[in-house]
Amino acid sequence: MILPVVYEKLKTRKMSLHESVQLHRHLTSADIAAGETACPVCSRETQDEYVPLLVLEEDLQRLIRANAPDTNEFEAVCARCVRLFERAKDRIIQDAALQKDGSRVLSTPLRLDADERFTGKGVTIAFLDSGFYPHVDLTTPRNRIVGYRNLMMQDGDLATLFQPDVASWHGMMTSVVAAGNGSLSNGFYSGIASDSDVVLVKLARTGRITEQNIEDGLEWILSNRTRYNIKIVNISAGGDFEQSYLHDSLSQLVEECVAKGLTIICAVGNAGHLPNHPVFPPASAPSCIAVGGLDDNNSINRAKRGMYRSSYGPTVDGLQKPEVIAPSIWVPAPILPNTPTASQAELLEKLDKANDNELHEIIRENQGIDNELDAALDRPVHSIRQIIALKLRRENVITKHYKYVDGTSFAAPIVSSVAAQMLEANPRLTPQQIKQILITTAERLPHYEVDRQGWGVIDPRKAVRKALAFAQ
């Protein structure tokens, strides 16, 4: 099967349809892993949907080749990849940050092939975290922060939302990863639920969030769920220690929330490297959706997928946790404005784009922002360039507004955003049905233990399709 528009191009080039499908292409390691019918870019097996690269526009060819995992020596790709990159081409070229190797920093919706028709419209996600900030990706062109509560203050203290501090960045990032509209990247680095509303619940001032903090936050959510029409709760924090849900008040509260119609989505934790890889409450509660970590190497290619060092079960109750996994590294997230980190990122981007003869003067004009750059004032241009490149990588800077983050704290909001898509598609879905759909549409990674990944990598497009089918 060849796309109609491609077929027209084939006719003008006097090629037969059979020739286009049967074009020889060099094998890649992805082909060997998945069989000779695997697409060299996405590694999906396909029987008849190959499109010759030579019939595509040159800039589209370059973009597709840049995302191939092993070699440029192939002549055809699956029609799905053509559709994916054709749809995203202009935005990728215009808005995606360019890495030093020539590849582009891809957005989460693109990497997961999310269904663009659904953006969480009409769905409210609540976030429990240490602190927040009203980032422009949530507040423009419409302020989608419909509620804020600071549990450290008796009156809720709205003023703390607008004061960046050491506790603000984590919750700002989790909420924007799920629901940001990418306004500072022309919409490119948006979350999957970029039209959803959010409720932000600040649990602590600084330091570790305790199990009691989380319990207090859930109690507040339970009492205010109707007022704010909350349907999904994202918890990117863990409790104090492993324990049975039968004797744990936080886990019991999670069960109550789910019974009352709230979908609870929890980060499973980042302790997969430890011998006991513990899963703490609330992620160990039976009815929540615990989310583990995927490392997709900033690629749409499934052959490049691996596991992140996330925690995993079985829990002390013998439950499979996590149920699903989602990107936990290479996740684009906003930099907290008006902070030293923001100033450093802005300076690094400016230096990276500057001409060689401008570097020393820019550093001189911005002394005090970065000590390493200050110390490099007397060095030659090539040495400064090396420092800039090293710091961009080390600080995970994408642009002056966004950086890479990692941890299951950011995998959970990605799953929350997909749940918001599903509820937009079918508002009658129950928390149990959302969990069932996410599990049954997930795809397991080969060569990794089931305990580590549960039912596998979420598939937003399939999950939305199944949510729609539930409505019929």
Side-chain angles (χ1 to χ4, degrees):
M1 176 180 173
I2 297 291
L3 295 174
V5 64
V6 175
Y7 180 63
E8 290 303 315
K9 292 182 180 180
L10 287 172
K11 288 196 298 185
T12 63
R13 292 176 181 267
K14 303 187 184 302
M15 294 178 64
S16 73
L17 193 63
H18 177 75
E19 287 173 331
S20 70
V21 178
Q22 299 299 325
L23 271 173
H24 170 72
R25 58 188 177 84
H26 296 267
L27 290 176
T28 66
S29 65
D31 293 328
I32 296 168
E36 290 190 21
T37 56
C39 170
V41 175
C42 70
S43 295
R44 291 177 184 266
E45 292 189 39
T46 181
Q47 297 300 315
D48 56 358
E49 291 195 7
Y50 277 108
V51 178
L53 287 181
L54 59 87
V55 304
L56 303 177
E57 302 295 336
E58 285 189 16
D59 54 356
L60 185 56
Q61 287 187 41
R62 286 195 295 270
L63 189 60
I64 291 173
R65 288 187 186 280
N67 281 275
D70 299 319
T71 176
N72 285 334
E73 296 181 2
F74 59 89
E75 299 172 26
V77 295
C78 73
R80 175 186 171 276
C81 278
V82 173
R83 285 192 296 268
L84 185 69
F85 282 102
E86 203 158 42
R87 187 171 69 240
K89 179 191 70 175
D90 292 339
R91 293 187 66 194
I92 290 174
I93 292 172
Q94 180 179 338
D95 302 315
L98 189 66
Q99 298 186 109
K100 294 304 177 186
D101 62 1
S103 63
R104 302 276 174 170
V105 181
L106 301 181
S107 66
T108 301
L110 179 62
R111 281 151 56 184
L112 288 173
D113 189 24
D115 191 328
E116 293 177 331
R117 297 174 300 164
F118 299 95
T119 53
K121 219 170 274 172
V123 180
T124 302
I125 309 172
F127 294 84
L128 304 185
D129 220 305
S130 56
F132 298 93
Y133 184 79
H135 193 272
V136 292
D137 284 7
L138 295 175
T139 60
T140 58
R142 175 177 72 87
N143 184 4
R144 292 178 290 114
I145 303 174
V146 297
Y148 173 74
R149 175 70 183 186
N150 179 357
L151 293 181
M152 300 296 100
M153 302 291 181
Q154 193 170 7
D155 61 357
D157 191 20
L158 182 62
T160 58
L161 178 61
F162 299 91
Q163 299 167 356
D165 61 31
V166 292
S168 300
W169 68 271
H170 193 269
M172 179 203 67
M173 286 182 172
T174 57
S175 55
V176 174
V177 162
N181 61 12
S183 66
L184 296 180
S185 62
N186 200 26
F188 187 73
Y189 293 118
S190 66
I192 290 174
S194 56
D195 282 314
S196 64
D197 292 330
V198 300
V199 170
L200 311 176
V201 183
K202 179 178 172 65
L203 301 179
R205 289 189 178 89
T206 57
R208 177 171 171 73
I209 294 173
T210 67
E211 194 161 306
Q212 186 60 55
N213 293 149
I214 301 171
E215 199 167 334
D216 292 342
L218 273 181
E219 290 280 12
W220 186 90
I221 293 289
L222 207 53
S223 299
N224 291 273
R225 69 188 188 283
T226 305
R227 176 184 177 187
Y228 295 108
N229 195 30
I230 297 168
K231 297 296 182 183
I232 300 163
V233 183
N234 185 92
I235 308 176
S236 291
D240 302 330
F241 50 84
E242 286 184 287
Q243 53 187 318
S244 170
Y245 75 91
L246 296 171
H247 311 295
D248 173 51
S249 58
L250 175 55
S251 297
Q252 293 294 321
L253 183 55
V254 169
E255 297 302 300
E256 182 184 352
C257 288
V258 173
K260 292 183 177 177
L262 293 170
T263 299
I264 309 294
I265 297 173
C266 304
V268 79
N270 307 318
H273 59 295
L274 298 179
N276 60 337
H277 41 82
V279 178
F280 296 159
S284 57
S287 296
C288 83
I289 301 170
V291 184
L294 166 73
D295 181 358
D296 66 0
N297 283 284
N298 182 42
S299 172
I300 69 164
N301 185 278
R302 300 189 308 167
K304 298 180 80 171
R305 288 176 167 180
M307 285 296 304
Y308 183 73
R309 53 176 175 82
S310 46
S311 305
Y312 58 97
T315 68
V316 294
D317 296 301
L319 300 175
Q320 172 68 63
K321 295 287 178 175
E323 283 89 359
V324 292
I325 58 175
S328 289
I329 191 169
W330 311 108
V331 179
I335 295 170
L336 185 63
N338 306 314
T339 61
T341 301
S343 299
Q344 182 193 47
E346 185 174 4
L347 175 57
L348 287 171
E349 182 183 73
K350 187 174 184 179
L351 288 167
D352 191 45
K353 293 179 177 179
N355 295 324
D356 286 350
N357 61 357
E358 299 173 318
L359 293 180
H360 288 90
E361 184 60 30
I362 291 173
I363 294 173
R364 196 173 291 112
E365 291 173 352
N366 292 274
Q367 290 189 71
I369 292 177
D370 190 294
N371 292 334
E372 286 184 72
L373 290 171
D374 291 347
L377 256 176
D378 60 346
R379 296 191 186 182
V381 166
H382 74 272
S383 178
I384 293 177
R385 286 287 182 202
Q386 289 176 340
I387 293 171
I388 294 167
L390 178 65
K391 291 188 75 65
L392 283 168
R393 282 196 303 271
R394 193 170 66 203
E395 302 299 329
N396 298 321
V397 173
I398 301 174
T399 70
K400 63 182 177 181
H401 299 301
Y402 299 94
K403 66 182 294 184
Y404 286 127
V405 292
D406 71 281
T408 57
S409 284
F410 308 106
I414 292 173
V415 175
S416 293
S417 66
V418 176
Q421 280 189 305
M422 294 163 65
L423 281 170
E424 180 189 355
N426 181 359
R428 294 190 297 275
L429 288 175
T430 66
Q432 293 82 1
Q433 288 171 330
I434 290 172
K435 184 173 184 176
Q436 178 192 1
I437 290 171
L438 287 170
I439 284 172
T440 56
T441 56
E443 180 183 11
R444 280 215 173 110
L445 296 178
H447 316 304
Y448 289 94
E449 303 96 318
V450 170
D451 282 349
R452 292 185 65 188
Q453 61 178 307
W455 280 263
V457 184
I458 58 165
D459 189 324
R461 191 171 292 273
K462 285 183 179 177
V464 166
R465 191 183 305 140
K466 198 158 186 176
L468 286 167
F470 263 65
Q472 298 171 356

